[in-house]
Amino acid sequence: MPTHHPVGPLTLGPLLRYIGETSATIWVQTRDAAQVRVRAFDREWSTPTFAAHGGHYALVVLDGLEPGAVSDYSVDIDDLQVWPESEPKYPGLPPSRIRTLLRSEPTRMAFGSCRTSEPHDAKGNAISGVDALRAYAYHLSRRERDGKDWPHLVLFLGDQVYADETSEQMQEFIASRRSLEVPPGTELKNFEEYSHLYWLAWSDPLNRWLLSTLPSAMIFDDHDIRDDWNTSQSWKREINQTSWWHERIVGGLASYWVYQHVGNLSPEALAEDEVWQQVVAHAEEGAAGELDLTRVLDDLADRVDRHPETYRWSYARDLGDSRLVVVDSRAARVLEPARRSILDDDELAWLDGQLRGDVDHLLIGTSLPFFIAQGIHDLEAINEAMATGAWGPRIARWGEKMRRAVDLEHWAAFQEGFAAVLAMVVDVASGNRGQRPGTITFLSGDVHNSYVTQIPLNQLPAGSSAILQAVCSPIRNPLPRQVRIGQAFLGKGLARPLSFLVDHTDKVPSAPYRWTVTDGPWFDNNLATLEVRGRGLVMRWEAGEIRGDRFDAPELRQVARVAIT
């Protein structure tokens, strides 16, 4: 496989992925088939690699740990220690460390979405701005402390990679393999190209260190596959008629399982995963040679694209006395013209089972904002009614064109799923599903601006939990100024007339609650952090900035601080 990046025994990683009270997982990509060993807590764990499309991967499960325990760790490939590096590319970074959760400790987490893979020099920053994740990495690496107040988790809420908007570096790699004049041109085509894109996204020394020492959870959004992925049935029908899409969707979902999804799962969830079961069986049987999952993953991706109900990308994690539920709002959609839902029946049933009280805080991760500006919400609801034929077939055709032309495909554009999930959330907030949490907070991205929304408490039953949403987008991919102005106009300028229209027609469902943007929007490249403070939250949005020509020392600047009491 042609490659433009140096390949040592450790090609990519390590990434510290799942963390719990008594277990953790560490992901690596290696150059060759190998035995991968992790040493920590005066113990060691090892596992053989598995293969996919010529790459070699391992997820090492560390079990039997003590809650609240802390240990530096190292990684060996066969008998060679590869991490920490003997000659680090960025000297002075602290050791990579595992710190298990302690139930009594208040939850702290970072989150954000939308991060391009441009170089971190003057040219790359001119295109995409300063990488807020990298600035956060530098900030943590310089602090003289033991990491006890660091986030327990960083949650990436979509567009971890851009398969359809590629950098010069990525295009050079593609051109070394095939002609850029043949579709899909500069967009990604297959698993091997995705593999290189993940390397570009995660190999910078500062970001690599951060991902090795902060546990991470992830969920895809459209650009991980392609802009407007699963907007509507007509979009899906047209894209399936191209000569290249099948290889793209198979490569995108198969690589997503390898690079993102498998690390999201707890050891208990891994044990139930149909692909991981094959990895474990191969290792336990002592079978000769490396397990090659290429065909298994390609078949899974092809099946899930056609029948999304057969596999679940959503997942949940317990974080002390808080709970994080991460929802797939892309692959599990119902796209029938007469019935649209952002979640199919199986996914809705699963989510219904996850949304429960008896936690201090319930956090719901979704790549697409659940609450968008009221004017845009009403516009998308109206457009859905148009596209489903509420005003006849001619308006339906125009509504479908409008839907795709201006990206009207958030939760508001799938009113059935929106209404069902909102009812579940209010049920939790009202205390009908266990003791009320302090807050129920949607964590979202996608829209390239950051803000906070909340349903006023006087609209909810007495004593209800606060229901709010915190959006952080982008980590690195700012909107052009003219687009920012357009978004502000749609969100505020059209709010009153569209609300009037919704209230005076029975063809468009009216939201049972109104919400307000309480803080923001902010358009900087940002990474947000959330800290539990008793029954309340404190959230911060922080941006990176370069002083002079110190591109390897990006500083962190606070953009906003919001307290929910």
Side-chain angles (χ1 to χ4, degrees):
M1 179 178 71
T3 180
H4 287 182
H5 59 76
V7 178
L10 183 63
T11 304
L12 189 59
L15 273 71
L16 179 57
R17 295 302 315 273
Y18 175 82
I19 195 75
E21 293 184 32
T22 60
S23 59
T25 63
I26 292 176
W27 180 97
V28 298
Q29 181 179 354
T30 65
R31 180 187 60 198
D32 307 302
Q35 191 78 12
V36 177
R37 181 178 294 105
V38 174
R39 303 178 191 272
F41 302 101
D42 297 321
R43 295 174 57 191
E44 63 179 55
W45 297 260
S46 66
T47 189
T49 57
F50 61 87
H53 289 274
H56 308 275
Y57 310 91
L59 184 75
V60 185
V61 179
L62 284 61
D63 55 8
L65 308 180
E66 293 294 325
V70 183
S71 174
D72 297 347
Y73 74 89
S74 62
V75 178
D76 295 357
I77 295 179
D78 290 332
D79 295 323
L80 176 67
Q81 180 176 307
V82 295
W83 192 266
E85 296 174 305
S86 57
E87 297 181 3
K89 298 178 179 63
Y90 193 107
L93 292 174
S96 298
R97 180 171 294 178
I98 301 167
R99 187 170 188 270
T100 56
L101 299 181
L102 193 61
R103 186 170 181 81
S104 60
E105 191 171 60
T107 298
R108 298 181 299 276
M109 64 184 297
F111 63 96
S113 81
C114 307
R115 182 171 171 270
T116 58
S117 302
E118 295 286 348
H120 301 283
D121 54 15
K123 183 178 180 181
N125 289 344
I127 295 170
S128 293
V130 178
D131 182 0
L133 183 70
R134 190 166 181 265
Y136 194 68
Y138 181 76
H139 171 72
L140 291 187
S141 73
R142 301 296 99 181
R143 303 180 75 176
E144 297 293 335
R145 53 182 61 196
D146 58 11
K148 287 186 177 180
D149 65 345
W150 290 9
H152 299 112
L153 174 73
V154 55
L155 173 63
F156 296 107
L157 287 160
D159 298 341
Q160 279 68 263
V161 292
Y162 278 71
D164 51 353
E165 299 174 12
T166 53
S167 66
E168 288 184 10
Q169 287 178 305
M170 188 65 223
Q171 290 174 27
E172 289 176 5
F173 179 78
I174 294 172
S176 73
R177 302 167 51 82
R178 57 178 174 83
S179 171
L180 298 181
E181 304 302 317
V182 177
T186 59
E187 297 187 29
L188 268 59
K189 184 179 181 182
N190 54 31
F191 188 106
E192 290 85 355
E193 292 176 8
Y194 267 101
S195 180
H196 190 77
L197 182 57
Y198 280 110
W199 185 87
L200 290 174
W202 294 346
S203 60
D204 168 78
L206 272 172
N207 284 322
R208 188 181 185 187
W209 169 78
L210 183 76
L211 294 172
S212 76
T213 204
L214 280 189
S216 56
M218 309 175 186
I219 192 67
F220 46 46
D221 198 27
D222 54 346
H223 290 284
D224 291 85
I225 302 296
R226 196 172 199 256
D227 188 27
D228 299 341
W229 176 35
N230 284 346
T231 293
S232 65
Q233 190 179 79
S234 67
W235 180 93
K236 192 165 186 175
R237 181 173 59 250
E238 289 180 17
I239 202 74
N240 274 306
Q241 291 172 352
T242 66
S243 61
W244 51 270
W245 175 251
H246 182 261
E247 189 174 8
R248 165 73 153 274
I249 188 66
V250 168
L253 290 177
S255 63
Y256 176 79
W257 189 94
V258 171
Y259 285 87
Q260 298 195 50
H261 180 66
V262 70
N264 290 330
L265 304 180
S266 67
E268 294 77 17
L270 278 172
E272 297 177 0
D273 185 83
E274 63 183 77
V275 180
W276 188 252
Q277 288 172 354
Q278 298 190 41
V279 176
V280 172
H282 184 85
E284 290 180 347
E285 292 167 2
E290 183 184 48
L291 174 65
D292 191 338
L293 287 178
T294 300
R295 181 66 179 272
V296 172
L297 290 170
D298 286 358
D299 287 348
L300 173 73
D302 178 61
R303 186 188 85 215
V304 172
D305 180 50
R306 292 182 290 110
H307 305 290
E309 72 280 1
T310 63
Y311 192 82
R312 178 164 294 112
W313 302 109
S314 302
Y315 58 94
R317 288 190 178 189
D318 291 319
L319 301 170
D321 284 327
S322 299
R323 183 162 177 79
L324 171 66
V325 181
V326 182
V327 184
D328 160 24
S329 58
R330 279 287 171 188
R333 296 179 172 188
V334 177
L335 300 175
E336 300 166 10
R339 188 213 167 193
R340 306 178 196 231
S341 176
I342 206 161
L343 302 177
D344 62 28
D345 293 341
D346 183 70
E347 199 73 12
L348 273 172
W350 176 85
L351 184 59
D352 192 28
Q354 300 297 320
L355 297 184
R356 292 290 182 268
D358 298 325
V359 293
D360 283 352
H361 296 270
L362 179 59
L363 308 170
I364 306 170
T366 167
S367 64
L368 296 169
F370 191 77
F371 299 120
I372 53 179
Q374 200 76 56
I376 298 177
H377 176 95
D378 289 339
L379 176 64
E380 296 202 8
I382 292 167
N383 175 260
E384 183 188 25
M386 292 167 60
T388 54
W391 288 281
R394 180 178 296 180
I395 298 298
R397 289 191 293 271
W398 190 78
E400 183 64 31
K401 290 179 181 178
M402 179 183 175
R403 183 184 186 90
R404 293 174 55 180
V406 291
D407 291 350
L408 303 180
E409 42 97 39
H410 298 87
W411 282 86
F414 296 87
Q415 281 291 309
E416 180 182 323
F418 173 80
V421 174
L422 183 56
M424 297 174 196
V425 166
V426 173
D427 217 28
V428 178
S430 303
N432 296 328
R433 301 186 177 207
Q435 185 177 352
R436 301 177 182 92
T439 68
I440 302 172
T441 305
F442 288 92
L443 305 174
S444 305
D446 176 69
V447 290
H448 296 261
N449 65 93
S450 302
Y451 60 91
V452 179
T453 55
Q454 185 168 354
I455 296 178
L457 285 172
N458 60 14
Q459 291 191 34
L460 298 169
S464 289
S465 311
I467 300 176
L468 63 142
Q469 174 180 258
V471 176
C472 182
S473 170
I475 296 175
R476 194 188 191 204
N477 192 12
L479 283 176
R481 182 171 179 79
Q482 60 271 27
V483 180
R484 301 180 188 186
I485 295 171
Q487 277 200 359
F489 171 73
L490 284 174
K492 295 181 180 179
L494 294 181
R496 184 169 295 178
L498 291 178
S499 176
F500 179 85
L501 176 59
V502 170
D503 290 342
H504 288 79
T505 178
D506 59 0
K507 298 181 184 295
V508 182
S510 181
Y513 304 94
R514 310 298 281 184
W515 51 90
T516 58
V517 176
T518 58
D519 300 272
W522 311 289
F523 290 93
D524 310 75
N525 284 348
N526 275 316
L527 186 71
T529 54
L530 174 153
E531 298 179 28
V532 168
R533 300 282 181 88
R535 300 283 284 177
L537 303 173
V538 172
M539 297 178 287
R540 295 178 179 83
W541 283 256
E542 295 172 301
E545 59 182 27
I546 301 297
R547 297 176 183 174
D549 59 354
R550 300 185 64 202
F551 296 104
D552 281 338
E555 299 291 338
L556 205 60
R557 170 178 56 86
Q558 182 170 294
V559 173
R561 180 185 184 276
V562 176
I564 307 296
T565 58

